[in-house]
mmCIF file of all heavy atoms in Angstrom:
data_model
loop_
_atom_site.group_PDB
_atom_site.id
_atom_site.type_symbol
_atom_site.label_atom_id
_atom_site.label_comp_id
_atom_site.label_asym_id
_atom_site.label_seq_id
_atom_site.Cartn_x
_atom_site.Cartn_y
_atom_site.Cartn_z
ATOM 1 N N LEU A 1 10.959 10.796 9.064
ATOM 2 C CA LEU A 1 9.842 10.138 8.442
ATOM 3 C C LEU A 1 9.514 10.640 6.992
ATOM 4 O O LEU A 1 8.924 9.934 6.189
ATOM 5 C CB LEU A 1 8.492 10.287 9.275
ATOM 6 C CG LEU A 1 8.442 9.787 10.636
ATOM 7 C CD1 LEU A 1 7.232 10.224 11.418
ATOM 8 C CD2 LEU A 1 8.477 8.234 10.598
ATOM 9 N N GLY A 2 10.103 11.800 6.729
ATOM 10 C CA GLY A 2 9.834 12.447 5.468
ATOM 11 C C GLY A 2 10.980 12.109 4.512
ATOM 12 O O GLY A 2 12.028 11.701 4.859
ATOM 13 N N ARG A 3 10.586 12.390 3.148
ATOM 14 C CA ARG A 3 11.629 12.343 2.186
ATOM 15 C C ARG A 3 12.606 13.439 2.297
ATOM 16 O O ARG A 3 12.429 14.372 3.281
ATOM 17 C CB ARG A 3 10.930 12.390 0.777
ATOM 18 C CG ARG A 3 10.056 11.123 0.475
ATOM 19 C CD ARG A 3 9.427 11.271 -0.916
ATOM 20 N NE ARG A 3 8.710 10.019 -1.207
ATOM 21 C CZ ARG A 3 8.006 9.888 -2.244
ATOM 22 N NH1 ARG A 3 7.770 10.884 -3.023
ATOM 23 N NH2 ARG A 3 7.399 8.716 -2.564
ATOM 24 N N LYS A 4 13.669 13.569 1.430
ATOM 25 C CA LYS A 4 14.622 14.541 1.518
ATOM 26 C C LYS A 4 13.978 16.034 1.525
ATOM 27 O O LYS A 4 14.285 16.821 2.289
ATOM 28 C CB LYS A 4 15.589 14.430 0.495
ATOM 29 C CG LYS A 4 16.845 15.397 0.599
ATOM 30 C CD LYS A 4 17.886 15.137 -0.438
ATOM 31 C CE LYS A 4 19.142 16.107 -0.302
ATOM 32 N NZ LYS A 4 20.103 15.895 -1.328
ATOM 33 N N ASN A 5 13.079 16.174 0.710
ATOM 34 C CA ASN A 5 12.320 17.321 0.521
ATOM 35 C C ASN A 5 10.882 17.111 1.080
ATOM 36 O O ASN A 5 10.103 16.348 0.287
ATOM 37 C CB ASN A 5 12.294 17.834 -0.898
ATOM 38 C CG ASN A 5 11.662 19.204 -1.073
ATOM 39 O OD1 ASN A 5 11.612 20.062 -0.112
ATOM 40 N ND2 ASN A 5 11.045 19.514 -2.151
ATOM 41 N N HIS A 6 10.423 17.700 2.054
ATOM 42 C CA HIS A 6 9.084 17.451 2.656
ATOM 43 C C HIS A 6 8.648 18.680 3.450
ATOM 44 O O HIS A 6 9.354 19.559 3.749
ATOM 45 C CB HIS A 6 9.105 16.189 3.548
ATOM 46 C CG HIS A 6 9.880 16.387 4.856
ATOM 47 N ND1 HIS A 6 11.286 15.963 4.873
ATOM 48 C CD2 HIS A 6 9.594 16.858 6.052
ATOM 49 C CE1 HIS A 6 11.705 16.355 5.978
ATOM 50 N NE2 HIS A 6 10.784 16.846 6.852
ATOM 51 N N VAL A 7 7.309 18.589 3.834
ATOM 52 C CA VAL A 7 6.742 19.651 4.713
ATOM 53 C C VAL A 7 6.335 19.001 6.092
ATOM 54 O O VAL A 7 5.744 17.919 6.134
ATOM 55 C CB VAL A 7 5.545 20.193 4.087
ATOM 56 C CG1 VAL A 7 4.650 21.125 5.015
ATOM 57 C CG2 VAL A 7 5.896 21.001 2.833
ATOM 58 N N LEU A 8 6.690 19.647 7.113
ATOM 59 C CA LEU A 8 6.282 19.264 8.508
ATOM 60 C C LEU A 8 5.446 20.349 9.031
ATOM 61 O O LEU A 8 5.884 21.492 9.202
ATOM 62 C CB LEU A 8 7.538 19.098 9.347
ATOM 63 C CG LEU A 8 7.419 18.678 10.807
ATOM 64 C CD1 LEU A 8 6.599 17.434 11.030
ATOM 65 C CD2 LEU A 8 8.640 18.581 11.517
ATOM 66 N N TYR A 9 4.249 20.046 9.385
ATOM 67 C CA TYR A 9 3.227 21.014 9.699
ATOM 68 C C TYR A 9 2.703 20.462 11.112
ATOM 69 O O TYR A 9 2.257 19.442 11.328
ATOM 70 C CB TYR A 9 2.013 21.028 8.715
ATOM 71 C CG TYR A 9 1.111 22.279 9.003
ATOM 72 C CD1 TYR A 9 1.312 23.418 8.351
ATOM 73 C CD2 TYR A 9 -0.006 22.146 9.782
ATOM 74 C CE1 TYR A 9 0.571 24.506 8.502
ATOM 75 C CE2 TYR A 9 -0.862 23.266 10.059
ATOM 76 C CZ TYR A 9 -0.491 24.614 9.389
ATOM 77 O OH TYR A 9 -1.348 25.678 9.656
ATOM 78 N N ASP A 10 2.681 21.571 11.912
ATOM 79 C CA ASP A 10 2.293 21.392 13.399
ATOM 80 C C ASP A 10 0.956 22.087 13.779
ATOM 81 O O ASP A 10 0.970 23.275 13.895
ATOM 82 C CB ASP A 10 3.441 21.787 14.296
ATOM 83 C CG ASP A 10 3.279 21.464 15.767
ATOM 84 O OD1 ASP A 10 2.350 20.768 16.183
ATOM 85 O OD2 ASP A 10 4.105 21.996 16.516
ATOM 86 N N ILE A 11 -0.120 21.308 13.942
ATOM 87 C CA ILE A 11 -1.339 21.880 14.446
ATOM 88 C C ILE A 11 -1.322 22.153 15.902
ATOM 89 O O ILE A 11 -1.999 23.101 16.399
ATOM 90 C CB ILE A 11 -2.526 21.007 14.032
ATOM 91 C CG1 ILE A 11 -2.695 20.861 12.524
ATOM 92 C CG2 ILE A 11 -3.849 21.485 14.571
ATOM 93 C CD1 ILE A 11 -3.795 19.905 12.060
ATOM 94 N N LYS A 12 -0.612 21.319 16.724
ATOM 95 C CA LYS A 12 -0.814 21.309 18.106
ATOM 96 C C LYS A 12 0.384 21.978 18.978
ATOM 97 O O LYS A 12 0.426 21.832 20.212
ATOM 98 C CB LYS A 12 -0.883 19.808 18.635
ATOM 99 C CG LYS A 12 -2.055 19.091 18.005
ATOM 100 C CD LYS A 12 -3.418 19.581 18.362
ATOM 101 C CE LYS A 12 -3.706 19.610 19.929
ATOM 102 N NZ LYS A 12 -4.996 20.066 20.232
ATOM 103 N N TYR A 13 1.242 22.724 18.274
ATOM 104 C CA TYR A 13 2.369 23.427 18.989
ATOM 105 C C TYR A 13 3.199 22.425 19.636
ATOM 106 O O TYR A 13 3.759 22.647 20.759
ATOM 107 C CB TYR A 13 1.864 24.435 19.833
ATOM 108 C CG TYR A 13 1.102 25.559 19.266
ATOM 109 C CD1 TYR A 13 0.192 26.460 19.962
ATOM 110 C CD2 TYR A 13 1.240 25.899 17.837
ATOM 111 C CE1 TYR A 13 -0.398 27.483 19.375
ATOM 112 C CE2 TYR A 13 0.679 26.978 17.244
ATOM 113 C CZ TYR A 13 -0.261 27.751 17.968
ATOM 114 O OH TYR A 13 -0.868 28.850 17.377
ATOM 115 N N ILE A 14 3.453 21.248 19.143
ATOM 116 C CA ILE A 14 4.330 20.317 19.612
ATOM 117 C C ILE A 14 5.786 20.767 19.484
ATOM 118 O O ILE A 14 6.594 20.509 20.278
ATOM 119 C CB ILE A 14 4.141 18.951 18.984
ATOM 120 C CG1 ILE A 14 2.726 18.428 19.391
ATOM 121 C CG2 ILE A 14 5.165 17.925 19.395
ATOM 122 C CD1 ILE A 14 2.315 17.135 18.649
ATOM 123 N N LEU A 15 6.129 21.324 18.293
ATOM 124 C CA LEU A 15 7.428 21.787 17.977
ATOM 125 C C LEU A 15 7.630 23.279 18.240
ATOM 126 O O LEU A 15 6.486 23.955 18.263
ATOM 127 C CB LEU A 15 7.766 21.481 16.546
ATOM 128 C CG LEU A 15 7.728 20.042 16.094
ATOM 129 C CD1 LEU A 15 7.812 19.839 14.604
ATOM 130 C CD2 LEU A 15 8.808 19.227 16.813
ATOM 131 N N ASN A 16 8.813 23.769 18.306
ATOM 132 C CA ASN A 16 9.082 25.136 18.469
ATOM 133 C C ASN A 16 8.752 25.775 17.018
ATOM 134 O O ASN A 16 8.814 25.053 15.990
ATOM 135 C CB ASN A 16 10.587 25.507 18.820
ATOM 136 C CG ASN A 16 10.810 24.973 20.291
ATOM 137 O OD1 ASN A 16 9.877 25.105 21.122
ATOM 138 N ND2 ASN A 16 11.992 24.541 20.467
ATOM 139 N N VAL A 17 8.571 27.129 16.989
ATOM 140 C CA VAL A 17 8.232 27.741 15.742
ATOM 141 C C VAL A 17 9.303 27.563 14.703
ATOM 142 O O VAL A 17 8.934 27.547 13.503
ATOM 143 C CB VAL A 17 8.032 29.253 16.024
ATOM 144 C CG1 VAL A 17 9.248 30.002 16.566
ATOM 145 C CG2 VAL A 17 7.426 29.951 14.728
ATOM 146 N N ASP A 18 10.554 27.505 15.050
ATOM 147 C CA ASP A 18 11.647 27.328 14.004
ATOM 148 C C ASP A 18 11.889 25.888 13.634
ATOM 149 O O ASP A 18 12.725 25.636 12.792
ATOM 150 C CB ASP A 18 12.977 28.059 14.568
ATOM 151 C CG ASP A 18 13.331 27.442 15.903
ATOM 152 O OD1 ASP A 18 12.574 26.730 16.584
ATOM 153 O OD2 ASP A 18 14.551 27.664 16.198
ATOM 154 N N GLU A 19 11.113 25.029 14.215
ATOM 155 C CA GLU A 19 11.351 23.523 13.858
ATOM 156 C C GLU A 19 10.364 23.047 12.840
ATOM 157 O O GLU A 19 10.732 22.079 12.150
ATOM 158 C CB GLU A 19 11.294 22.717 15.168
ATOM 159 C CG GLU A 19 12.369 23.038 16.241
ATOM 160 C CD GLU A 19 12.211 22.128 17.441
ATOM 161 O OE1 GLU A 19 11.114 22.004 17.916
ATOM 162 O OE2 GLU A 19 13.228 21.771 18.019
ATOM 163 N N ALA A 20 9.190 23.634 12.783
ATOM 164 C CA ALA A 20 8.166 23.206 11.875
ATOM 165 C C ALA A 20 8.155 24.173 10.637
ATOM 166 O O ALA A 20 8.517 25.229 10.716
ATOM 167 C CB ALA A 20 6.810 23.226 12.503
ATOM 168 N N ASP A 21 7.747 23.534 9.460
ATOM 169 C CA ASP A 21 7.623 24.435 8.253
ATOM 170 C C ASP A 21 6.364 25.299 8.309
ATOM 171 O O ASP A 21 6.251 26.291 7.672
ATOM 172 C CB ASP A 21 7.584 23.518 6.994
ATOM 173 C CG ASP A 21 8.842 22.736 6.927
ATOM 174 O OD1 ASP A 21 9.859 23.204 6.812
ATOM 175 O OD2 ASP A 21 8.751 21.445 6.747
ATOM 176 N N GLY A 22 5.478 24.793 9.117
ATOM 177 C CA GLY A 22 4.227 25.705 9.278
ATOM 178 C C GLY A 22 3.365 25.186 10.422
ATOM 179 O O GLY A 22 3.578 24.083 10.873
ATOM 180 N N ARG A 23 2.589 26.045 11.016
ATOM 181 C CA ARG A 23 1.726 25.681 12.122
ATOM 182 C C ARG A 23 0.588 26.786 12.227
ATOM 183 O O ARG A 23 0.641 27.749 11.673
ATOM 184 C CB ARG A 23 2.468 25.463 13.430
ATOM 185 C CG ARG A 23 3.211 26.720 13.870
ATOM 186 C CD ARG A 23 3.884 26.375 15.184
ATOM 187 N NE ARG A 23 4.438 27.462 15.855
ATOM 188 C CZ ARG A 23 4.824 27.459 17.200
ATOM 189 N NH1 ARG A 23 4.757 26.343 17.873
ATOM 190 N NH2 ARG A 23 5.377 28.573 17.725
ATOM 191 N N LEU A 24 -0.420 26.365 12.953
ATOM 192 C CA LEU A 24 -1.520 27.280 13.157
ATOM 193 C C LEU A 24 -1.072 28.490 14.018
ATOM 194 O O LEU A 24 -0.138 28.420 14.840
ATOM 195 C CB LEU A 24 -2.681 26.591 13.961
ATOM 196 C CG LEU A 24 -3.619 25.765 13.031
ATOM 197 C CD1 LEU A 24 -4.654 25.046 13.946
ATOM 198 C CD2 LEU A 24 -4.187 26.455 11.955
#
């Protein structure tokens, strides 16, 4: 869904820690 360079942020712990660029 993102452009070549993007940020993926996970508020709900849907992804593993190494899959998101940031999360709570």
Side-chain angles (χ1 to χ4, degrees):
L1 297 170
R3 292 178 174 175
K4 186 175 181 180
N5 186 28
H6 66 269
V7 168
L8 177 59
Y9 193 91
D10 184 8
I11 294 177
K12 300 297 295 183
Y13 296 159
I14 292 172
L15 301 170
N16 294 323
V17 63
D18 58 344
E19 293 178 323
D21 297 307
R23 58 181 191 164
L24 283 180

